[in-house]
Amino acid sequence: MKTRITELLQIEVPIIQGGMAWVAEHHLAAAVSAAGGLGIIGAANAPADWVRGEIRKAREMTDRPIGVNVMLLSPYADEVAKVLVEEKVPVITTGAGNPGKYMEMWKAAGSKVIPVVASVALAKMMERGGADAVIAEGTESGGHIGAATTMTLVPQVVDAVKVPVIAAGGIGDGRGMAAAFMLGAEAVQLGTRFVVAKESICHSNYKERIIKAKDIDSAVTGRSHGHPIRQLRNQMTKEYIQKEQEGVPFEELELLTVGSLRNAVMDGDVKHGTVMAGQIAGLIHKEQTCQEIIEEMTKEAKALMQGVGR
Ligand code: TUI
């Protein structure tokens, strides 16, 4: 499955891992890269020194390329951006904002820059600014989301830009991968399925919640203040959404979620914590190694795509 993305990123299979906060650390990133995909360290809201340490630890585990995702709402984004230059990170993805101000510095350092976009307008702007590819992420994704679905966003972005497009949001198996390719994508990004990978350090309670999730078990909090987050329903989302409906201000809502993602991922508090996951959680039934996930998906996608278009 060679595409412009496998060529650009020097990877074997066109599968990249999402930069999930707390989960996308060196064990997971190294395992995805070692299996032929592109592993990503998620800088999320972490300080730059943590990111540097994770890059170095991942490099001790594999010689294959590893990327870093910069979460642009992070208070540490500026210092993380500089560390990526110092560490000569080959691939940088970004999320939750416009990475325009870092583009020149990253390109000059020789990194491939791949912003996540949730609209055609941002995709075009990123291409003009020198992006090497874009990740078109639909609202089916876990975490911070845009409004358009993967099915509608991917082909519109593919038509609007010349750079290769990576599809994300709602993709969890070979069928989703083949479908993304039919829409014109040249790789896929997976989050939720890698959260339950054997190499993922995520707490077993969190993995169990994903494995047991049904199709409509996710909810979106934060719509009232413009920072929508998709996660699995629990006591916390129920209270949060109720308070949003009552018109409770952002500052008060925020108190419900301070440290809540960490509590769910690290301590397994899936009742009051934030259990970010995409709508595809209902399709994920077991814990597997990254290699098993990548091999199974690639085999299934290849079989489905054989004969299509002949
Ligand atoms: O970034 C993500 N997913 C995330 S980040 C995250 S951590 C977080 N914590 C607290 C508050 C918010 C986030 C959890 N999940 N995905 C990539 C993504 N980027 N999805 C959507 C976007 C996006 C949306 C609008 C990118 C750019 C954009 O507009 C930028 C602009 O300024 O025009």
Side-chain angles (χ1 to χ4, degrees):
M1 294 186 99
K2 296 290 165 228
T3 69
R4 285 188 291 167
I5 292 291
T6 56
E7 198 65 23
L8 180 74
L9 306 183
Q10 296 290 299
I11 54 178
E12 296 295 314
V13 287
I15 296 179
I16 78 170
Q17 171 231 315
M20 298 91 72
W22 295 102
V23 178
E25 48 70 80
H26 68 277
H27 296 97
L28 184 62
V32 171
S33 287
L38 183 77
I40 299 269
I41 288 162
N45 279 308
D49 276 349
W50 180 86
V51 178
R52 195 195 301 277
E54 291 301 305
I55 295 167
R56 292 185 179 175
K57 283 184 250 180
R59 282 178 175 162
E60 279 168 22
M61 295 176 78
T62 178
D63 291 332
R64 302 259 179 104
I66 288 172
V68 174
N69 173 267
V70 181
M71 208 282 279
L72 295 161
L73 294 171
S74 165
Y76 301 106
D78 284 352
E79 48 186 270
V80 168
K82 287 189 203 121
V83 161
L84 305 191
V85 172
E86 288 161 17
E87 294 294 323
K88 299 188 174 49
V89 170
V91 186
I92 302 172
T93 67
T94 65
N98 179 346
K101 68 172 174 170
Y102 305 123
M103 203 71 108
E104 213 178 291
M105 173 173 81
W106 288 340
K107 298 291 301 172
S111 301
K112 306 293 179 210
V113 184
I114 313 184
V116 169
V117 298
S119 69
V120 165
L122 191 63
K124 285 170 138 175
M125 195 192 295
M126 293 298 100
E127 181 178 52
R128 277 200 304 275
D132 295 281
V134 293
I135 301 167
E137 187 182 286
T139 195
E140 297 92 325
S141 303
H144 178 75
I145 50 169
T149 61
T150 301
M151 180 76 114
T152 57
L153 182 66
V154 172
Q156 293 186 78
V157 171
V158 165
D159 285 353
V161 297
K162 292 195 179 67
V163 292
V165 176
I166 299 167
I171 301 165
D173 66 6
R175 291 172 297 180
M177 185 169 172
F181 274 67
M182 292 300 102
L183 298 175
E186 295 184 53
V188 291
Q189 176 182 278
L190 266 60
T192 309
R193 184 138 184 212
F194 283 130
V195 173
V196 301
K198 283 219 164 84
E199 296 89 344
S200 153
I201 53 111
C202 190
H203 196 284
S204 57
N205 292 356
Y206 198 121
K207 292 185 180 177
E208 270 307 298
R209 273 288 340 248
I210 292 177
I211 287 166
K212 293 213 172 106
K214 297 195 178 59
D215 53 354
I216 54 170
D217 279 356
S218 77
V220 178
T221 57
R223 287 207 194 273
S224 66
H225 53 78
H227 286 294
I229 299 275
R230 184 180 301 286
Q231 55 200 290
L232 296 181
R233 287 175 209 281
N234 61 10
Q235 184 82 34
M236 189 273 283
T237 61
K238 205 169 148 190
E239 274 173 43
Y240 197 108
I241 292 169
Q242 192 176 342
K243 286 197 171 170
E244 282 193 287
Q245 283 163 355
E246 289 164 4
V248 167
F250 174 62
E251 294 72 25
E252 194 181 323
L253 290 170
E254 225 184 3
L255 297 176
L256 286 174
T257 58
V258 175
S260 64
L261 181 61
R262 191 210 161 275
N263 294 345
V265 173
M266 306 302 285
D267 301 338
D269 181 1
V270 293
K271 204 166 162 191
H272 304 285
T274 299
V275 187
M276 290 186 193
Q279 289 185 329
I280 204 66
L283 194 88
I284 296 166
H285 305 304
K286 57 178 187 284
E287 195 177 355
Q288 290 169 297
T289 65
C290 292
Q291 184 159 356
E292 286 165 349
I293 292 171
I294 287 175
E295 271 175 11
E296 189 180 287
M297 279 189 66
T298 315
K299 193 169 156 215
E300 193 182 1
K302 267 189 192 162
L304 287 168
M305 284 159 63
Q306 258 167 19
V308 172
R310 274 197 206 143

